[in-house]
Every structure is written in C-alpha cells, then in structure tokens.
Amino acid sequence: MEYKDYYKTLGVSRDATQPEIKRAYRKLARKFHPDVSKEPDAEARFKEINEANEVLHDPEKRAAYDALGSSWHAGQDFRPPPGGVHHDFHFGADEAAEFSDFFSSIFGREFHPGAQSQRRRRGQDQTARILIDLEDAYRGATRQVRIDIPEVGPDGRVTSRTRTLNVRIPPGVTQGRQIRLAGQGGPGINGGHAGDLYLEIEINPHRFFTTDGKDIHLRLPIAPWEAALGASVSVPTLGGTVNLKVPPGSQSGQRLRLKGRGLPGEPAGDELVMLEIVTPPATTDAAKAAYRDMAERLHFNPRAEMGV
C-alpha cells in the first residue's frame, strides 16, 4: 500500500497547531465538498481531506501517526511496523468505510461508536534498528540506544522526548531478529500501560565472515600444494583459531563445514569454509623455473573437458 502524507494533504507543517489544522481542514472541505465543488476529483479529494483531519485533529491518533517517522513520502510503498498500533481508536462505523487501507493498517478496523474518550488506552508500540558487530551477536553484549518517543503537549503540538536505554544483546542473535522491550514504547493514555519497543538487529559487515541465519561463511585462501596434497591449516572462527583438514585433491569453490562454529543456539550454527586456491606470483627466476618444470612434468590441461 502507499504511504499517505496527511500533513501534505491538508497543506500544513508537521509542527502545526490544532487551530492551524482546523483552519486548513475547513478551507479545503469547503473547496472540495462534492455538493458544491466543480473540481473533477472533488469526491476523492474530499475523502482524503476527511481522513487526514480524522488523524491530525485527534492528539492520540496524530501521535501514533507521527511515530512512523518523518522520512516517509506520499505515494511511497509502506509496510506497517511489526506489532502495529493497537486497535483501540474509536469512531463511527459509517465513517470507517471512508478510510483507506493505509489508515486501517495503522489504526485498525475495530469500531465502537459512542465509546468513552476518557478510557485507559495502551500506548503505541515503537520500532527502531540497532547496529551491532558480529562478535556481539556471538558473545552477547550490552548497548545503549537513544529513542525518540512522541508526546502531545497541552496546545496539541506533537513533540518528542529522547530516552537512553541500556539494551542487552543475547548471544546467538541473528540479522533481522527483533528484541522486545516490554513497556518501553509510547506512553499510555489516561493511565494506560505503555507500549512496547521492538529493536531490529542489523549486523555490521565483517572483515572475514558473512552470515546466513546462525551459519557463518568464510572464503579461505590456500596454496596449490595444500589443495593438491592435503594439509592442516589454521582457520579463524568467532571463538578463536582452529585447525581445518584440507583433503587431498581439493578444488577452488569446494566447501568444508566446521560444525557448531557459527552463532550459538539450540542447535548452534556452523561455519562454512569455501576454499580458494591462490597461485604464488612468478616474480623471480626461481619461481618461473618451478612453474616451467611443473608444466613439463604434470602434463595438465585444465580445459580438457572443453575439448580445447
């Protein structure tokens, strides 16, 4: 679905006061009301204006909308945040039919006409990303995060309050996993419980390893004689250096598995090692002579299967 910029629809800034929003709505509603407007798209525009006003004139709905952030643009592909916003916003069922799928994805479709506006309501959930190193995902760590929580002032302006939280990163956390911090989201309404905070893990690129779930991948350079004759070579892992047995006759692109050497868990991930044969440079007379001798003795054609 497409993101709707309600501020743009009403032609007001994101820090507009409630009186400013009210004036903008009335002006546009008069201009595009289907009973009086001669604009070709009057009915569609009137619905958009009503929907924008439904959100921005209500401090609670406005705070929930603003919690999505200001980096979105009208028409941009939108995906609701994990956990969503809890469905306890109340308005008439007849009005509900006029609202878009975008509106419903944020505020839900549970309609209770005549509900008391002073009831206790749970605060909205918040989402944020947290960047960690792969070593943090392996060993676990504690990190500080700064979160901006939207709040509505007495004048109707939506402001944000910055909070700093110490977050424990559990060992074995993977890319894209969410950590839920109960009660650390938006404040409740009229004494209701606070929402939750969901932190999505993003692992920084590593010098040697890439990740796939709990498995890690490594490209391991080996010498031609190690591949041909077999060898025991030192290999880095997240838990330290280990020895890996390279079987005789190994080829570039061949994968070897170090079981349980990935990210911890039940079960733990593995480390998948892809061999990469690296030829020594022929920069000296001795090296060149060695390569010529090898060519004469081995009679090896790597393109034989191609018939060339």
Side-chain angles (χ1 to χ4, degrees):
M1 72 188 74
E2 293 184 351
Y3 175 82
K4 289 186 176 294
D5 188 336
Y6 292 134
Y7 291 102
K8 184 177 180 180
T9 298
L10 294 186
V12 297
S13 64
R14 295 188 72 88
D15 61 353
T17 63
Q18 286 298 314
E20 290 171 337
I21 291 172
K22 187 175 182 179
R23 286 195 297 270
Y25 167 70
R26 286 181 173 178
K27 179 180 178 181
L28 292 172
R30 286 194 299 269
K31 179 179 179 181
F32 290 100
H33 196 289
D35 292 342
V36 297
S37 178
K38 299 186 183 305
E39 299 287 339
D41 58 346
E43 184 173 355
R45 287 293 304 276
F46 189 69
K47 288 182 179 180
E48 292 176 353
I49 293 163
N50 275 335
E51 181 174 319
N53 184 62
E54 175 67 36
V55 174
L56 299 185
H57 91 282
D58 183 306
E60 186 184 355
K61 293 191 186 77
R62 184 178 179 182
Y65 174 72
D66 285 348
L68 299 175
S70 59
S71 61
W72 296 94
H73 303 288
Q76 184 177 351
D77 186 47
F78 175 77
R79 182 174 61 180
V85 177
H86 286 261
H87 301 174
D88 51 6
F89 296 94
H90 307 293
F91 37 89
D94 291 339
E95 297 173 291
E98 300 296 320
F99 299 143
S100 67
D101 289 340
F102 171 78
F103 181 98
S104 300
S105 73
I106 304 303
F107 303 108
R109 288 191 180 276
E110 296 185 9
F111 309 111
H112 306 281
Q116 295 295 321
S117 62
Q118 297 302 313
R119 62 173 290 194
R120 292 184 179 181
R121 298 179 186 175
R122 184 181 183 278
Q124 73 260 15
D125 293 340
Q126 302 287 319
T127 59
R129 288 190 309 164
I130 181 169
L131 290 169
I132 65 171
D133 293 330
L134 184 56
E135 287 79 6
D136 296 332
Y138 178 73
R139 299 185 180 91
T142 299
R143 290 288 178 268
Q144 279 193 342
V145 294
R146 292 168 60 87
I147 303 296
D148 291 331
I149 302 296
E151 293 183 343
V152 182
D155 62 351
R157 290 179 182 270
V158 179
T159 60
S160 63
R161 176 169 58 91
T162 301
R163 299 169 55 198
T164 301
L165 302 173
N166 290 320
V167 179
R168 180 181 173 274
I169 308 299
V173 70
T174 54
Q175 174 79 18
R177 175 178 166 181
Q178 289 188 334
I179 299 175
R180 174 177 172 265
L181 301 180
Q184 298 297 330
I189 306 298
N190 297 322
H193 293 294
D196 298 334
L197 173 63
Y198 290 87
L199 294 177
E200 182 174 337
I201 296 293
E202 183 169 336
I203 299 177
N204 287 316
H206 193 274
R207 181 182 176 188
F208 301 128
F209 302 112
T210 58
T211 62
D212 180 14
K214 288 189 178 294
D215 293 337
I216 61 174
H217 295 255
L218 171 73
R219 296 176 68 92
L220 182 69
I222 60 173
W225 48 87
E226 291 174 329
L229 304 176
S232 180
V233 299
S234 296
V235 177
T237 75
L238 291 173
T241 301
V242 300
N243 289 327
L244 173 68
K245 184 178 181 181
V246 177
S250 293
Q251 300 292 328
S252 281
Q254 184 174 337
R255 294 183 184 272
L256 303 177
R257 184 183 299 269
L258 291 171
K259 190 171 180 59
R261 291 289 181 171
L263 293 174
E266 294 295 337
D270 300 331
E271 179 172 331
L272 301 173
V273 180
M274 187 173 74
L275 303 180
E276 187 176 76
I277 299 174
V278 179
T279 57
T283 55
T284 66
D285 291 340
K288 293 176 182 177
Y291 276 119
R292 292 190 187 99
D293 184 61
M294 186 184 302
E296 293 175 0
R297 291 175 179 271
L298 296 182
H299 304 291
F300 175 64
N301 181 7
R303 297 168 295 282
E305 292 185 357
M306 300 180 181
V308 295

Short mmCIF file of all heavy atoms in Angstrom, two decimals, residues 225-276:
data_model
loop_
_atom_site.label_atom_id
_atom_site.label_comp_id
_atom_site.label_asym_id
_atom_site.label_seq_id
_atom_site.Cartn_x
_atom_site.Cartn_y
_atom_site.Cartn_z
N TRP A 225 49.75 -26.43 -3.44
CA TRP A 225 50.22 -27.71 -2.88
C TRP A 225 49.37 -28.16 -1.70
O TRP A 225 49.23 -29.35 -1.46
CB TRP A 225 51.69 -27.61 -2.49
CG TRP A 225 52.03 -26.39 -1.67
CD1 TRP A 225 51.97 -26.26 -0.33
CD2 TRP A 225 52.49 -25.15 -2.19
NE1 TRP A 225 52.36 -25.01 0.04
CE2 TRP A 225 52.68 -24.29 -1.08
CE3 TRP A 225 52.76 -24.67 -3.48
CZ2 TRP A 225 53.14 -22.97 -1.21
CZ3 TRP A 225 53.21 -23.37 -3.61
CH2 TRP A 225 53.40 -22.53 -2.49
N GLU A 226 48.78 -27.20 -0.95
CA GLU A 226 47.87 -27.59 0.13
C GLU A 226 46.61 -28.24 -0.44
O GLU A 226 46.09 -29.22 0.12
CB GLU A 226 47.49 -26.37 0.96
CG GLU A 226 48.65 -25.79 1.77
CD GLU A 226 48.30 -24.49 2.46
OE1 GLU A 226 47.48 -23.72 1.91
OE2 GLU A 226 48.87 -24.23 3.55
N ALA A 227 46.13 -27.70 -1.57
CA ALA A 227 44.96 -28.28 -2.21
C ALA A 227 45.27 -29.63 -2.82
O ALA A 227 44.49 -30.59 -2.70
CB ALA A 227 44.43 -27.33 -3.28
N ALA A 228 46.43 -29.76 -3.47
CA ALA A 228 46.76 -31.00 -4.17
C ALA A 228 47.14 -32.12 -3.21
O ALA A 228 46.70 -33.27 -3.38
CB ALA A 228 47.91 -30.74 -5.15
N LEU A 229 47.93 -31.81 -2.20
CA LEU A 229 48.46 -32.85 -1.31
C LEU A 229 47.66 -33.02 -0.03
O LEU A 229 47.82 -34.02 0.68
CB LEU A 229 49.91 -32.52 -0.95
CG LEU A 229 50.86 -32.34 -2.14
CD1 LEU A 229 52.24 -31.91 -1.65
CD2 LEU A 229 50.94 -33.61 -2.96
N GLY A 230 46.79 -32.04 0.28
CA GLY A 230 46.11 -32.05 1.57
C GLY A 230 46.96 -31.37 2.61
O GLY A 230 48.19 -31.33 2.51
N ALA A 231 46.32 -30.80 3.62
CA ALA A 231 47.07 -30.09 4.65
C ALA A 231 46.16 -29.81 5.84
O ALA A 231 44.93 -29.91 5.75
CB ALA A 231 47.61 -28.77 4.10
N SER A 232 46.77 -29.48 6.95
CA SER A 232 46.06 -28.97 8.11
C SER A 232 46.38 -27.49 8.23
O SER A 232 47.55 -27.12 8.40
CB SER A 232 46.49 -29.71 9.39
OG SER A 232 45.80 -29.22 10.52
N VAL A 233 45.38 -26.64 8.09
CA VAL A 233 45.61 -25.20 8.04
C VAL A 233 44.84 -24.52 9.17
O VAL A 233 43.80 -25.00 9.63
CB VAL A 233 45.19 -24.60 6.68
CG1 VAL A 233 46.00 -25.21 5.54
CG2 VAL A 233 43.70 -24.82 6.43
N SER A 234 45.34 -23.36 9.60
CA SER A 234 44.68 -22.57 10.64
C SER A 234 43.54 -21.77 10.03
O SER A 234 43.70 -21.17 8.97
CB SER A 234 45.69 -21.64 11.31
OG SER A 234 46.69 -22.37 11.99
N VAL A 235 42.40 -21.75 10.71
CA VAL A 235 41.20 -21.08 10.21
C VAL A 235 40.63 -20.20 11.33
O VAL A 235 40.46 -20.67 12.46
CB VAL A 235 40.14 -22.10 9.76
CG1 VAL A 235 38.86 -21.40 9.32
CG2 VAL A 235 40.67 -22.97 8.64
N PRO A 236 40.30 -18.93 11.03
CA PRO A 236 39.65 -18.11 12.05
C PRO A 236 38.19 -18.51 12.24
O PRO A 236 37.49 -18.85 11.28
CB PRO A 236 39.77 -16.69 11.48
CG PRO A 236 39.82 -16.88 10.00
CD PRO A 236 40.56 -18.18 9.79
N THR A 237 37.73 -18.49 13.47
CA THR A 237 36.32 -18.66 13.81
C THR A 237 35.96 -17.58 14.81
O THR A 237 36.83 -16.90 15.35
CB THR A 237 36.01 -20.05 14.41
OG1 THR A 237 36.50 -20.10 15.76
CG2 THR A 237 36.66 -21.17 13.60
N LEU A 238 34.68 -17.43 15.09
CA LEU A 238 34.25 -16.43 16.08
C LEU A 238 34.74 -16.77 17.47
O LEU A 238 34.85 -15.89 18.32
CB LEU A 238 32.73 -16.31 16.06
CG LEU A 238 32.14 -15.67 14.80
CD1 LEU A 238 30.62 -15.76 14.81
CD2 LEU A 238 32.58 -14.22 14.67
N GLY A 239 35.04 -18.04 17.72
CA GLY A 239 35.52 -18.46 19.02
C GLY A 239 37.02 -18.59 19.11
O GLY A 239 37.55 -19.02 20.15
N GLY A 240 37.74 -18.25 18.05
CA GLY A 240 39.20 -18.38 18.04
C GLY A 240 39.67 -19.22 16.87
O GLY A 240 38.87 -19.78 16.12
N THR A 241 40.98 -19.36 16.74
CA THR A 241 41.56 -20.09 15.62
C THR A 241 41.48 -21.59 15.86
O THR A 241 41.75 -22.08 16.97
CB THR A 241 43.03 -19.68 15.42
OG1 THR A 241 43.08 -18.27 15.17
CG2 THR A 241 43.65 -20.41 14.24
N VAL A 242 41.13 -22.35 14.82
CA VAL A 242 41.10 -23.82 14.89
C VAL A 242 41.83 -24.36 13.66
O VAL A 242 42.10 -23.64 12.70
CB VAL A 242 39.65 -24.37 14.93
CG1 VAL A 242 38.90 -23.83 16.13
CG2 VAL A 242 38.92 -24.04 13.63
N ASN A 243 42.16 -25.65 13.71
CA ASN A 243 42.80 -26.32 12.58
C ASN A 243 41.74 -27.00 11.71
O ASN A 243 40.81 -27.64 12.24
CB ASN A 243 43.81 -27.35 13.06
CG ASN A 243 45.05 -26.70 13.65
OD1 ASN A 243 45.46 -25.63 13.21
ND2 ASN A 243 45.63 -27.34 14.66
N LEU A 244 41.88 -26.85 10.42
CA LEU A 244 40.97 -27.46 9.46
C LEU A 244 41.76 -28.39 8.55
O LEU A 244 42.80 -28.01 8.01
CB LEU A 244 40.28 -26.37 8.62
CG LEU A 244 39.42 -26.86 7.45
CD1 LEU A 244 38.19 -27.60 7.95
CD2 LEU A 244 39.01 -25.68 6.55
N LYS A 245 41.27 -29.60 8.37
CA LYS A 245 41.91 -30.56 7.49
C LYS A 245 41.41 -30.37 6.06
O LYS A 245 40.24 -30.57 5.76
CB LYS A 245 41.63 -31.99 7.95
CG LYS A 245 42.38 -33.04 7.12
CD LYS A 245 42.12 -34.44 7.66
CE LYS A 245 42.88 -35.48 6.84
NZ LYS A 245 42.61 -36.87 7.33
N VAL A 246 42.33 -29.98 5.18
CA VAL A 246 42.01 -29.84 3.75
C VAL A 246 42.33 -31.17 3.08
O VAL A 246 43.48 -31.61 3.09
CB VAL A 246 42.83 -28.70 3.11
CG1 VAL A 246 42.53 -28.61 1.62
CG2 VAL A 246 42.53 -27.37 3.80
N PRO A 247 41.34 -31.84 2.50
CA PRO A 247 41.60 -33.15 1.90
C PRO A 247 42.42 -33.04 0.62
O PRO A 247 42.35 -32.03 -0.09
CB PRO A 247 40.20 -33.69 1.61
CG PRO A 247 39.32 -32.49 1.53
CD PRO A 247 39.91 -31.47 2.44
N PRO A 248 43.22 -34.05 0.32
CA PRO A 248 43.99 -34.04 -0.95
C PRO A 248 43.07 -33.91 -2.15
O PRO A 248 41.96 -34.46 -2.16
CB PRO A 248 44.70 -35.39 -0.94
CG PRO A 248 44.74 -35.81 0.50
CD PRO A 248 43.48 -35.27 1.12
N GLY A 249 43.54 -33.21 -3.17
CA GLY A 249 42.75 -33.04 -4.39
C GLY A 249 41.63 -32.03 -4.26
O GLY A 249 40.69 -32.05 -5.07
N SER A 250 41.72 -31.14 -3.29
CA SER A 250 40.68 -30.12 -3.13
C SER A 250 40.72 -29.12 -4.28
O SER A 250 41.76 -28.91 -4.91
CB SER A 250 40.86 -29.39 -1.79
OG SER A 250 40.62 -30.26 -0.70
N GLN A 251 39.58 -28.51 -4.56
CA GLN A 251 39.46 -27.56 -5.65
C GLN A 251 38.90 -26.23 -5.14
O GLN A 251 38.24 -26.18 -4.10
CB GLN A 251 38.52 -28.10 -6.75
CG GLN A 251 38.98 -29.41 -7.37
CD GLN A 251 40.24 -29.25 -8.19
OE1 GLN A 251 40.48 -28.20 -8.80
NE2 GLN A 251 41.07 -30.28 -8.21
N SER A 252 39.15 -25.15 -5.88
CA SER A 252 38.54 -23.86 -5.55
C SER A 252 37.02 -23.97 -5.60
O SER A 252 36.47 -24.62 -6.50
CB SER A 252 39.01 -22.77 -6.53
OG SER A 252 40.29 -22.31 -6.21
N GLY A 253 36.35 -23.35 -4.65
CA GLY A 253 34.89 -23.40 -4.58
C GLY A 253 34.38 -24.53 -3.73
O GLY A 253 33.19 -24.57 -3.41
N GLN A 254 35.24 -25.46 -3.37
CA GLN A 254 34.82 -26.58 -2.51
C GLN A 254 34.52 -26.05 -1.11
O GLN A 254 35.24 -25.21 -0.58
CB GLN A 254 35.92 -27.63 -2.46
CG GLN A 254 35.56 -28.89 -1.68
CD GLN A 254 36.66 -29.94 -1.81
OE1 GLN A 254 37.43 -29.93 -2.77
NE2 GLN A 254 36.73 -30.84 -0.86
N ARG A 255 33.44 -26.56 -0.50
CA ARG A 255 33.05 -26.10 0.82
C ARG A 255 33.31 -27.18 1.88
O ARG A 255 33.00 -28.35 1.67
CB ARG A 255 31.56 -25.73 0.85
CG ARG A 255 31.22 -24.52 0.00
CD ARG A 255 29.76 -24.14 0.13
NE ARG A 255 29.41 -23.05 -0.75
CZ ARG A 255 29.52 -21.76 -0.43
NH1 ARG A 255 29.97 -21.44 0.77
NH2 ARG A 255 29.19 -20.82 -1.29
N LEU A 256 33.89 -26.74 2.98
CA LEU A 256 34.11 -27.60 4.14
C LEU A 256 33.34 -27.02 5.32
O LEU A 256 33.19 -25.80 5.44
CB LEU A 256 35.61 -27.69 4.46
CG LEU A 256 36.51 -28.19 3.32
CD1 LEU A 256 37.97 -28.16 3.75
CD2 LEU A 256 36.11 -29.60 2.87
N ARG A 257 32.87 -27.88 6.19
CA ARG A 257 31.99 -27.46 7.29
C ARG A 257 32.69 -27.63 8.64
O ARG A 257 33.25 -28.70 8.93
CB ARG A 257 30.70 -28.27 7.27
CG ARG A 257 29.67 -27.85 8.33
CD ARG A 257 28.46 -28.77 8.26
NE ARG A 257 27.82 -28.71 6.96
CZ ARG A 257 26.84 -27.86 6.66
NH1 ARG A 257 26.39 -27.01 7.58
NH2 ARG A 257 26.31 -27.86 5.45
N LEU A 258 32.66 -26.56 9.43
CA LEU A 258 33.09 -26.64 10.82
C LEU A 258 31.82 -26.61 11.67
O LEU A 258 31.23 -25.56 11.93
CB LEU A 258 34.01 -25.47 11.18
CG LEU A 258 35.39 -25.47 10.53
CD1 LEU A 258 36.12 -24.16 10.79
CD2 LEU A 258 36.22 -26.65 11.04
N LYS A 259 31.40 -27.78 12.11
CA LYS A 259 30.11 -27.92 12.78
C LYS A 259 30.13 -27.19 14.13
O LYS A 259 31.06 -27.32 14.92
CB LYS A 259 29.77 -29.40 12.98
CG LYS A 259 28.34 -29.64 13.47
CD LYS A 259 28.00 -31.10 13.43
CE LYS A 259 26.58 -31.36 13.92
NZ LYS A 259 25.58 -30.65 13.10
N GLY A 260 29.06 -26.43 14.37
CA GLY A 260 28.89 -25.76 15.65
C GLY A 260 29.75 -24.53 15.84
O GLY A 260 29.78 -23.96 16.94
N ARG A 261 30.44 -24.07 14.77
CA ARG A 261 31.33 -22.92 14.90
C ARG A 261 30.68 -21.62 14.41
O ARG A 261 31.36 -20.61 14.25
CB ARG A 261 32.61 -23.16 14.11
CG ARG A 261 33.50 -24.24 14.71
CD ARG A 261 34.13 -23.76 16.01
NE ARG A 261 35.00 -24.77 16.60
CZ ARG A 261 35.80 -24.53 17.63
NH1 ARG A 261 35.82 -23.33 18.18
NH2 ARG A 261 36.56 -25.49 18.12
N GLY A 262 29.35 -21.65 14.22
CA GLY A 262 28.64 -20.43 13.85
C GLY A 262 28.14 -19.71 15.09
O GLY A 262 28.76 -19.76 16.16
N LEU A 263 26.98 -19.06 14.98
CA LEU A 263 26.40 -18.37 16.12
C LEU A 263 25.78 -19.39 17.08
O LEU A 263 25.23 -20.41 16.65
CB LEU A 263 25.33 -17.37 15.65
CG LEU A 263 25.87 -16.19 14.85
CD1 LEU A 263 24.72 -15.35 14.31
CD2 LEU A 263 26.80 -15.33 15.69
N PRO A 264 25.87 -19.15 18.38
CA PRO A 264 25.37 -20.12 19.35
C PRO A 264 23.85 -20.22 19.31
O PRO A 264 23.15 -19.30 18.88
CB PRO A 264 25.85 -19.56 20.69
CG PRO A 264 26.05 -18.10 20.45
CD PRO A 264 26.48 -17.97 19.03
N GLY A 265 23.35 -21.35 19.78
CA GLY A 265 21.91 -21.58 19.82
C GLY A 265 21.65 -23.06 20.00
O GLY A 265 22.56 -23.85 20.23
N GLU A 266 20.37 -23.42 19.92
CA GLU A 266 19.96 -24.83 20.03
C GLU A 266 19.21 -25.23 18.77
O GLU A 266 17.99 -25.07 18.69
CB GLU A 266 19.08 -25.02 21.28
CG GLU A 266 19.80 -24.80 22.59
CD GLU A 266 20.90 -25.83 22.85
OE1 GLU A 266 20.82 -26.93 22.25
OE2 GLU A 266 21.81 -25.54 23.62
N PRO A 267 19.89 -25.74 17.74
CA PRO A 267 21.34 -26.02 17.72
C PRO A 267 22.13 -24.78 17.31
O PRO A 267 21.57 -23.81 16.79
CB PRO A 267 21.45 -27.10 16.65
CG PRO A 267 20.35 -26.75 15.68
CD PRO A 267 19.22 -26.21 16.51
N ALA A 268 23.44 -24.86 17.52
CA ALA A 268 24.33 -23.79 17.08
C ALA A 268 24.48 -23.83 15.57
O ALA A 268 24.29 -24.87 14.93
CB ALA A 268 25.69 -23.93 17.76
N GLY A 269 24.84 -22.69 15.00
CA GLY A 269 25.11 -22.65 13.57
C GLY A 269 26.48 -23.23 13.25
O GLY A 269 27.28 -23.54 14.14
N ASP A 270 26.77 -23.39 11.97
CA ASP A 270 28.05 -23.92 11.50
C ASP A 270 28.85 -22.83 10.82
O ASP A 270 28.31 -21.79 10.43
CB ASP A 270 27.82 -25.08 10.51
CG ASP A 270 27.03 -26.23 11.13
OD1 ASP A 270 27.13 -26.43 12.36
OD2 ASP A 270 26.31 -26.91 10.37
N GLU A 271 30.14 -23.09 10.67
CA GLU A 271 30.98 -22.23 9.83
C GLU A 271 31.26 -22.98 8.54
O GLU A 271 31.78 -24.10 8.55
CB GLU A 271 32.29 -21.88 10.53
CG GLU A 271 33.18 -21.00 9.67
CD GLU A 271 34.40 -20.47 10.41
OE1 GLU A 271 34.33 -20.29 11.64
OE2 GLU A 271 35.45 -20.26 9.75
N LEU A 272 30.90 -22.37 7.42
CA LEU A 272 31.08 -22.97 6.10
C LEU A 272 32.27 -22.30 5.43
O LEU A 272 32.24 -21.08 5.18
CB LEU A 272 29.82 -22.82 5.27
CG LEU A 272 28.57 -23.47 5.89
CD1 LEU A 272 27.33 -23.13 5.10
CD2 LEU A 272 28.74 -24.97 5.98
N VAL A 273 33.28 -23.09 5.15
CA VAL A 273 34.54 -22.58 4.63
C VAL A 273 34.63 -22.90 3.13
O VAL A 273 34.59 -24.09 2.75
CB VAL A 273 35.74 -23.19 5.38
CG1 VAL A 273 37.05 -22.65 4.82
CG2 VAL A 273 35.63 -22.90 6.87
N MET A 274 34.74 -21.90 2.30
CA MET A 274 34.89 -22.11 0.86
C MET A 274 36.36 -21.93 0.50
O MET A 274 36.95 -20.87 0.74
CB MET A 274 34.04 -21.14 0.05
CG MET A 274 34.05 -21.48 -1.44
SD MET A 274 32.90 -20.48 -2.41
CE MET A 274 33.77 -18.93 -2.44
N LEU A 275 36.94 -22.99 -0.08
CA LEU A 275 38.36 -22.95 -0.45
C LEU A 275 38.59 -22.10 -1.69
O LEU A 275 37.78 -22.11 -2.62
CB LEU A 275 38.87 -24.38 -0.69
CG LEU A 275 38.70 -25.37 0.47
CD1 LEU A 275 39.25 -26.73 0.08
CD2 LEU A 275 39.39 -24.86 1.73
N GLU A 276 39.68 -21.38 -1.66
CA GLU A 276 40.05 -20.52 -2.79
C GLU A 276 41.55 -20.69 -3.04
O GLU A 276 42.36 -20.21 -2.26
CB GLU A 276 39.72 -19.07 -2.47
CG GLU A 276 39.89 -18.12 -3.64
CD GLU A 276 39.44 -16.71 -3.26
OE1 GLU A 276 40.20 -16.03 -2.55
OE2 GLU A 276 38.32 -16.32 -3.65
#
